[in-house]
Amino acid sequence: MTRVISDQSRLRNFSIIAHIDHGKSTLADRLLDLTDAVSERQMRAQYLDKMDLERERGITIKAQSVRLAYTARDGREYALNLIDTPGHVDFTYEVSRALAACEGAVLLVDAAQGIEAQTLANLYLAIEAGLTVIPVVNKIDLPAAQPERVAREIEQVLGTRREELLLVSAKTGQGVPELLEALVERVPPPAGDPDQPARALVFDSLYDVYRGVVAYVRVVDGSLRKGEKLRMMASGTVSELEELGVFAPEAVATEQLRAGEVGYLIPGVKDVRQVTVGDTVTSGARGATVALPGYREPRPMVYSGLYPVEGDDFPDLRDALDRLRLNDAALVYEPESSAALGFGFRCGFLGLLHMEIVRERLEREFDLSLITTAPNVAYRVHLAGGEERTVSNPSEMPPANQVERIEEPFVDAMILAPAEYVGPVMELCQSRRGAMAAMEYLSEERVELRYRLPLAEIIFDFFDQLKSRTRGYASLDYEPAGYGPSKLVKVDILLQGEPVDAFSAIVHTDKAYAYGRTMVARLRRLIPRQLYEVPVQAAIGARVIARETITAKRKDVLAKCYGGDVTRKRKLLERQKEGKRRMKQIGRVEVPQEAFVAALRTDEADGR
Amino acid sequence: MSPAPSPAAAPARPAGHPGPAGPEAGFGVYVHVPFCLTRCSYCDFVTYTGMEGLRRPYAAALLLEAELAVAERLRPDPPVVTSVFVGGGTPTLLPPADLARLLDGLRGLLELAPDAEITVEANPETVDAPVAEGLARAGVTRVSLGAQSFEPGVLAALERPHDAHRIARAVGHLHAAGLRELNLDLIYGCPGEDAGSWTRTLRAALALGPVHLSAYALTIERATKFGRLVAAGRMRPPEDDVLADRYEAACALLGGAGLHHYEVSNWARGPVAASGLPAHASRHNLTYWRRGGYLGLGAGAHEFTGGERRWNVASVPEYLAAVRAGRRPTAGGERLEPAAAAFEHLALGLRTVEGLAPVRARALGVDPAGPAAAELRAAGLLAPGPRLALTEAGMLLHGEVVTRL
């Protein structure tokens, strides 16, 4: 079944650029159906989405590749390497590396939805990387499909002609054979030099319990052979190549990978940090001297504290993070302790989705129950003495009188929205301290807005707000745009006069009051009445800016307890006692874990 | 009438039945009569309306079960019974002659203390002169009347068929029959009630001169009409602050009228013994709160003997079938781990002003002079002194205190 085609002229390397739900995985399945890649028995829907978690979220976290053996209408057999890309803004860098491994890209757009911001952002990456783009309108079988409108939009964006565009239904298979032909005809074969020293681009890596790190690579120049010594040019790791091969779609070992080929390497190392995305693999002997361009250190954008609900679980959390990081080069963490939450870790993530995924994996795969503090960004704090400090935990912000200025990270955001929603989108961006950079009409109906925004303003509920103000039609993409000074203050939350470090936040001066009021109101709702009255205050330094009072509990007794009630009433009291035991004691105040979780949730509804 | 129970007056616990509590806790017999004329909107007890044809066979089966229970649980040395409580449901729906036969039967099976308290629950509408006389003749010493309220609006919300007038008449009949050891049950926090109507109800109850009064906060139980209304969002459960206001009003009014607040929801006339308990406190219920033993007879009845709890099936037909086949109609049971038993003892013991003696508290793993107790004393929830006992303010926060200790 697996014929290894390594004639460079018969190779085609491509990606599919699509928004979530625009049918990428379904199209990949159809491509697998129509080629020689996978048997019925192995077939399951959405083959490329590997982890259960991904299957549930309907998105792809880890890029993978699959080799399709396709006999074209010219009677010749081609090897088509489909390189899957992650579909979220948190993973833009991974996307750029996956695209760098390709010569072509299928731009897949839902016939009922049109182009979305992420798609556009990735399309720009593809164009920058010099890829041949094949525009495809998908889901033409849907009753709500408007292929003509979407086609016009694509023509506008790409400047392509109408006849270059393919109409497809990945669900029914309509148009997919034509797409396969287009891939062979339009995507150029790889151009690398097979006689140069080996250079292979790592576009993904993962950790396998049995084999250690598995790297997904595109060999650009030269070739790599089983058993030879390898060197990772960025990390400096040297190892022996244990195995290499292609995915068809199961791993099939081969003797070598040559220029233009896409496949996997098992370099015999144990930590994904030794083989990170963007690194260049070369031969240990007579290796390349110049690495492939574009390597970047994984760089966390968003920070959050992760704490076990049960303090006893701290060692388990440490083990779980240590295991998770084997598979996630972008995850960084260091131990920290909180007076309110005990021992935990300050973790850095690529973005909010990455944070959510890590948290879910920790809870699901390691059976941990966690409290996540509100996500924040890393601030650059310039102290009066000239010292500069990076603060990724708000409770570590130095006192205001020692601070000369604070800089925060900004992003350049791109928002695509139907023209009728431009007003609400601008309003939202302005309320989040955004500065408009550009506004452009993609078509009469759709507008591209570009804003420079503080990252801190979009990591909370920006995307939800954007969606709700545009009835779900707007989409968002952003990329880091450096640091800039802002008027920021630290707001502390106090229970009965004691600051609760987990609730401290760094916010813009103009928003300090709103933040303070929201938090104290939330906490008044979430913290049960206690034996004593509990004032809940928000303060900047010593200045109280908001206050609510949790009045003392007046009644806590079961009215009746006679012979027939004893068992049931005892159980009620035991549950109450267990609940008390699980509460965190802050001064004299007992705060239920649920209150931390709910207060720190970004989507907590207020005023109800 | 019934004197305040005291350790000296209590019969010695026979060997072979080491209970969790000392002999001063007493030993009771609870008999459940699950028949009612109508179903009240707040009640989740095991009760059946209708089933007239089953009432007499049921009364006969109770005695059969008593024989089985004594043979199974209390041989070879049955303890002396200090109280019998016939509850329901509406026990006065049983013909008085059947009730008399049941009590006589129990006297034949078990030794009743000469001063045993024999309580029967009754709903006002079921008490006329013949019923009152029948109860007295059967040897009943105490009657607990389900008055609940004297306000027409509140009684209607509770779906009680009686009115204030009917309560007064029932009390009159009972007094005329020589039954003066009377309790009135009241409920507060009901729909249709306000501070004024609750005060009127308390005054109306006091005017009838009961030696004992129970005032219960309305508790919404799931399997009741109120429970369904609350779940459906069509009724608001009473707010804690409102319940606390009513409770404090009851404490002030009943205390002012000379009744002694001796348990979370119970008041009785004195004189007050050294234990803090008033003379007219319910001895049967004190046995529960002291974690003493009791037999449980009838459908859905609970039993606690030798440190083990068990309970009967709720269904009357199943109950009858089991007893007729010579089996106890057990539905479930439990034997507690020492820690759970200690916690239960603490929770029960703290419901009354008697509380727990320092030795007992320590045996339950609570230091009556420890920091937790000291903080609760400072907060005015635990009474000063070596015993572990709640103040009146503390009773309203019983749950908080118990879970802190």
Side-chain angles (χ1 to χ4, degrees):
Chain A
M1 191 180 91
T2 309
R3 288 145 304 224
V4 177
I5 302 153
S6 47
D7 178 349
Q8 220 164 306
S9 68
R10 306 267 195 93
L11 292 176
R12 300 291 184 274
N13 297 324
F14 73 102
S15 276
I16 302 174
I17 295 173
H19 191 71
I20 298 162
D21 292 338
H22 281 203
K24 179 163 71 169
S25 295
T26 313
L27 179 61
D29 288 345
R30 279 307 82 69
L31 293 174
L32 289 164
D33 280 349
L34 291 181
T35 58
D36 239 357
V38 63
S39 71
E40 280 299 321
R41 198 178 53 76
Q42 293 168 308
M43 185 74 192
R44 46 176 197 175
Q46 308 200 343
Y47 199 93
L48 288 181
D49 288 358
K50 198 169 189 182
M51 290 190 285
D52 286 347
L53 200 58
E54 294 179 37
R55 190 174 295 274
E56 272 169 40
R57 286 173 170 274
I59 55 166
T60 310
I61 301 161
K62 280 289 179 189
Q64 278 183 291
S65 69
V66 57
R67 172 177 283 209
L68 312 170
Y70 172 63
T71 308
R73 286 183 193 152
D74 63 12
R76 277 189 285 212
E77 193 164 80
Y78 291 84
L80 309 182
N81 288 310
L82 165 56
I83 295 166
D84 203 12
T85 56
H88 191 273
V89 56
D90 285 1
F91 304 107
T92 302
Y93 178 66
E94 281 76 358
V95 174
S96 79
R97 293 306 86 199
L99 292 176
C102 301
E103 281 75 32
V106 172
L107 171 66
L108 188 70
V109 183
D110 187 317
Q113 307 287 327
I115 302 185
E116 308 279 359
Q118 247 164 53
T119 315
L120 201 55
N122 289 349
L123 176 63
Y124 291 155
L125 287 177
I127 293 170
E128 263 172 54
L131 269 53
T132 300
V133 176
I134 301 176
V136 173
V137 178
N138 188 24
K139 302 197 189 180
I140 56 167
D141 58 313
L142 285 188
Q146 292 182 284
E148 282 311 312
R149 180 181 76 79
V150 174
R152 273 199 308 280
E153 211 169 86
I154 294 174
E155 284 163 37
Q156 176 95 6
V157 170
L158 271 180
T160 49
R161 281 166 315 181
R162 181 66 183 77
E163 55 273 23
E164 293 175 45
L165 187 130
L166 300 175
L167 298 178
V168 158
S169 167
K171 204 170 114 197
T172 66
Q174 187 187 347
V176 179
E178 289 73 19
L179 174 58
L180 282 164
E181 278 302 306
L183 285 167
V184 170
E185 283 169 18
R186 297 191 209 168
V187 176
D193 185 341
D195 302 321
Q196 289 292 309
R199 288 199 299 174
L201 171 70
V202 177
F203 61 86
D204 197 6
S205 64
L206 60 79
Y207 176 79
D208 180 274
V209 200
Y210 302 105
R211 309 302 307 272
V213 173
V214 179
Y216 294 75
V217 297
R218 153 73 191 271
V219 181
V220 176
D221 296 318
S223 62
L224 292 169
R225 278 188 173 280
K226 187 177 170 184
E228 77 171 300
K229 279 259 184 291
L230 293 182
R231 183 162 58 87
M232 315 298 155
M233 297 182 73
S235 73
T237 305
V238 173
S239 73
E240 188 170 308
L241 180 48
E242 282 181 6
E243 182 183 319
L244 77 176
V246 298
F247 288 95
E250 302 296 345
V252 177
T254 57
E255 280 305 307
Q256 64 170 354
L257 284 175
R258 301 204 296 192
E261 285 195 290
V262 173
Y264 68 91
L265 305 177
I266 298 177
V269 299
K270 290 285 173 217
D271 184 339
V272 281
R273 274 159 191 71
Q274 294 173 290
V275 193
T276 54
V277 172
D279 204 344
T280 301
V281 184
T282 190
S283 302
R286 290 187 303 104
T289 49
V290 180
L292 294 163
Y295 177 76
R296 206 170 79 188
E297 292 270 355
R299 185 175 56 198
M301 300 279 284
V302 175
Y303 294 83
S304 166
L306 285 184
Y307 290 84
V309 168
E310 302 290 343
D312 301 348
D313 286 348
F314 177 76
D316 294 342
L317 176 58
R318 176 194 294 277
D319 291 348
L321 283 167
D322 287 347
R323 298 226 345 239
L324 216 53
R325 72 179 240 155
L326 292 175
N327 204 357
D328 188 342
L331 173 65
V332 297
Y333 53 92
E334 58 183 40
E336 70 171 5
S337 70
S338 150
L341 301 176
F343 290 101
F345 292 92
R346 174 105 330 217
C347 302
F349 308 96
L350 295 173
L352 275 192
L353 179 79
H354 186 213
M355 176 174 112
E356 269 302 295
I357 289 168
V358 168
R359 197 181 57 80
E360 275 195 46
R361 291 189 65 183
L362 287 170
E363 295 202 326
R364 193 181 297 207
E365 296 171 27
F366 300 92
D367 197 26
L368 291 163
S369 189
L370 299 173
I371 293 176
T372 321
T373 65
N376 60 269
V377 300
Y379 297 94
R380 279 187 197 154
V381 182
H382 298 264
L383 298 179
E387 190 195 334
E388 187 191 313
R389 200 183 284 177
T390 300
V391 173
S392 59
N393 180 349
S395 68
E396 284 164 10
M397 181 62 76
N401 57 10
Q402 296 174 20
V403 174
E404 195 187 271
R405 68 175 200 281
I406 304 175
E407 290 186 332
E408 65 177 332
F410 282 79
V411 296
D412 284 330
M414 168 170 55
I415 295 161
L416 288 193
E420 64 209 275
Y421 297 116
V422 163
V425 171
M426 288 171 61
E427 228 172 285
L428 173 66
C429 290
Q430 257 138 36
S431 77
R432 302 303 176 94
R433 303 190 277 134
M436 189 193 270
M439 181 166 116
E440 208 175 307
Y441 278 77
L442 294 183
S443 63
E444 273 163 38
E445 299 100 42
R446 282 166 46 102
V447 178
E448 176 186 337
L449 290 144
R450 285 176 177 275
Y451 269 89
R452 191 172 157 87
L453 285 154
L455 175 62
E457 293 286 346
I458 62 174
I459 61 172
F460 276 96
D461 57 348
F462 184 82
F463 191 59
D464 294 337
Q465 283 292 322
L466 183 66
K467 283 287 183 192
S468 80
R469 287 176 195 218
T470 58
R471 299 178 57 195
Y473 285 115
S475 55
L476 166 74
D477 193 85
Y478 59 83
E479 57 185 39
Y483 274 72
S486 287
K487 284 163 80 179
L488 298 167
V489 287
K490 179 179 159 206
V491 178
D492 291 317
I493 304 295
L494 297 84
L495 287 182
Q496 235 177 20
E498 291 222 17
V500 185
D501 54 8
F503 293 140
S504 290
I506 293 164
V507 292
H508 191 262
T509 317
D510 295 349
K511 297 190 171 176
Y513 284 90
Y515 174 80
R517 273 197 303 274
T518 307
M519 281 304 280
V520 296
R522 240 181 227 185
L523 289 170
R524 188 183 61 79
R525 234 171 355 95
L526 291 167
I527 297 175
R529 294 166 75 175
Q530 317 263 319
L531 208 45
Y532 313 94
E533 180 179 290
V534 177
V536 186
Q537 296 163 305
I540 300 171
R543 187 161 53 93
V544 173
I545 57 169
R547 178 190 162 120
E548 296 254 1
T549 303
I550 302 168
T551 54
K553 169 154 80 174
R554 290 183 62 200
K555 176 190 176 287
D556 175 6
V557 61
L558 301 163
K560 284 191 181 188
C561 189
Y562 296 109
D565 305 315
V566 176
T567 297
R568 192 163 66 101
K569 304 280 159 101
R570 184 195 72 242
K571 285 180 179 164
L572 286 174
L573 284 169
E574 279 173 345
R575 214 168 305 150
Q576 185 176 342
K577 186 170 183 158
E578 175 59 19
K580 218 179 198 21
R581 196 183 66 75
R582 285 174 48 109
M583 288 195 201
K584 295 273 186 197
Q585 190 86 26
I586 296 174
R588 282 206 306 187
V589 187
E590 293 165 336
V591 183
Q593 304 290 359
E594 302 79 57
F596 279 103
V597 177
L600 295 170
R601 270 175 68 152
T602 50
D603 57 350
E604 170 72 8
D606 289 300
R608 268 191 296 179
Chain B
M1 292 276 155
S2 314
S6 68
R13 174 169 289 267
H17 291 282
E24 71 276 14
F27 187 87
V29 175
Y30 177 76
V31 182
H32 192 69
V33 180
F35 304 114
C36 276
L37 290 173
T38 55
R39 183 74 161 158
C40 302
S41 37
Y42 57 92
C43 175
D44 75 334
F45 290 169
V46 176
T47 68
Y48 297 88
T49 55
M51 290 206 188
E52 284 85 354
L54 289 180
R55 289 177 192 168
R56 302 203 63 174
Y58 183 82
L62 287 172
L63 205 51
L64 280 176
E65 196 204 355
E67 286 171 19
L68 293 169
V70 170
E72 190 181 296
R73 317 293 300 187
L74 304 182
R75 293 274 183 247
D77 300 304
V80 173
V81 172
T82 49
S83 66
V84 176
F85 195 103
V86 186
T90 310
T92 40
L93 286 181
L94 286 185
D98 286 334
L99 196 63
R101 250 192 303 280
L102 173 66
L103 293 173
D104 283 346
L106 288 176
R107 284 189 194 97
L109 275 170
L110 289 160
E111 185 191 342
L112 264 63
D115 60 347
E117 173 193 274
I118 299 175
T119 307
V120 171
E121 279 187 341
N123 281 329
E125 70 277 12
T126 63
V127 178
D128 55 14
V131 165
E133 284 155 18
L135 291 174
R137 263 201 309 278
V140 169
T141 65
R142 183 175 181 270
V143 175
S144 175
L145 266 184
Q148 318 308 359
S149 175
F150 288 77
E151 293 286 312
V154 174
L155 287 167
L158 296 173
E159 299 187 321
R160 298 303 312 247
H162 65 263
D163 58 16
H165 199 60
R166 199 71 193 76
I167 303 169
R169 272 168 55 196
V171 171
H173 290 309
L174 292 165
H175 280 181
L179 284 163
R180 305 201 65 89
E181 191 74 14
L182 294 188
N183 167 57
L184 295 179
D185 275 349
L186 301 176
I187 302 185
Y188 58 89
C190 303
E193 171 201 286
D194 59 27
S197 66
W198 172 234
T199 305
R200 284 198 297 279
T201 279
L202 287 167
R203 292 222 167 91
L206 285 171
L208 297 177
V211 296
H212 193 285
L213 234 157
S214 303
Y216 299 110
L218 175 66
T219 307
I220 306 292
E221 303 290 354
R222 222 157 18 136
T224 64
K225 181 179 172 189
F226 281 169
R228 287 186 292 276
L229 287 173
V230 167
R234 285 162 54 205
M235 172 177 156
R236 288 174 69 149
E239 284 172 27
D240 280 354
D241 284 344
V242 170
L243 294 176
D245 287 344
R246 303 285 185 272
Y247 185 83
E248 284 167 7
C251 291
L253 216 102
L254 299 178
L259 284 161
H260 301 279
H261 191 183
Y262 76 96
E263 193 263 359
V264 169
S265 303
N266 285 284
W267 284 260
R269 294 227 169 259
V272 173
S275 62
L277 292 168
H280 292 275
S282 161
R283 299 184 62 191
H284 186 80
N285 291 337
L286 282 171
T287 294
Y288 294 145
W289 298 319
R290 288 164 170 169
R291 206 161 181 265
Y294 49 96
L295 282 188
L297 308 174
H302 286 234
E303 180 167 281
F304 183 44
T305 53
E308 189 176 329
R309 295 193 185 278
R310 56 165 294 287
W311 46 90
N312 283 344
V313 294
S315 148
V316 169
E318 275 180 50
Y319 173 81
L320 292 176
V323 172
R324 281 170 185 159
R327 282 185 286 109
R328 290 212 73 192
T330 305
E334 62 178 2
R335 180 174 274 284
L336 297 182
E337 297 292 315
F343 180 64
E344 180 181 287
H345 201 144
L346 174 74
L348 288 169
L350 280 182
R351 290 188 69 92
T352 68
V353 290
E354 185 181 36
L356 296 161
V359 174
R360 170 81 66 204
R362 284 203 186 85
L364 299 177
V366 177
D367 182 357
E375 194 191 348
L376 291 165
R377 270 199 193 90
L381 303 182
L382 281 178
R387 294 183 75 84
L388 205 60
L390 294 175
T391 60
E392 192 166 52
M395 282 184 177
L396 198 44
L397 292 166
H398 171 269
E400 176 75 22
V401 173
V402 167
T403 50
R404 268 174 185 258
L405 281 171

